[in-house]
Amino acid sequence: MPARQDPHPAHRTEHPRSADTSPAITRAFALLSNGWNGLILMALAKGSADSAQIRERVTGISSRTLARRLRELSAMDLVTQDVRPGPSSRNRYALSPHGNAFLIPLAVLFLWAEDHLPAGEERPPASP
């Protein structure tokens, strides 16, 4: 008889599968290793914003990199885009329900980093 899946995966008590057998953890690390993604998601945790407002919240990101990352995060269904028509139409971005759910592990990672990583270079490395 197959094992039943836990309907509440956030409440699991057993140790997760090791990284070498889990495509899910590989995808999560790929998301975070792609420079700026975590910072953009944290910036959108403060509320919806247009690209200029996001650039104010994420110091040092270029317009081109931000546009590319927002497209990727939208394609992953972590960010939603709302196009406002009009003479000065601006796109507004917000976290999707999946993006909001990602804030939980991101906040834990933030707290861990505050406690355990030495201060140093604050900006993510440039990405292609």
Side-chain angles (χ1 to χ4, degrees):
M1 180 178 219
R4 222 176 83 194
Q5 279 194 319
D6 185 351
H8 306 288
H11 299 123
R12 291 182 187 163
T13 56
E14 74 275 5
H15 191 279
R17 294 183 296 175
S18 66
D20 60 345
T21 63
S22 176
I25 197 68
T26 302
R27 291 189 307 273
F29 280 123
L31 169 67
L32 287 175
S33 69
N34 200 336
W36 304 104
N37 287 344
L39 295 174
I40 293 168
L41 294 171
M42 291 294 283
L44 289 173
K46 297 177 182 178
S48 67
D50 62 33
S51 58
Q53 292 168 320
I54 297 170
R55 281 191 21 245
E56 287 175 8
R57 296 175 189 175
V58 181
T59 307
I61 192 168
S62 72
S63 296
R64 181 178 177 184
T65 298
L66 177 59
R68 189 174 336 136
R69 296 290 177 252
L70 286 169
R71 279 193 304 273
E72 292 169 2
L73 293 169
S74 294
M76 288 188 257
D77 194 28
L78 294 170
V79 170
T80 61
Q81 180 180 359
D82 180 28
V83 180
R84 308 262 171 126
S88 62
S89 66
R90 285 195 163 192
N91 296 336
R92 291 201 56 88
Y93 300 91
L95 292 175
S96 70
H98 293 298
N100 274 314
F102 188 65
L103 292 178
I104 296 167
L106 201 55
V108 171
L109 181 62
F110 171 79
L111 292 172
W112 176 85
E114 285 282 309
D115 290 343
H116 300 284
L117 291 179
E121 181 65 31
E122 300 297 326
R123 284 189 8 211
S127 53

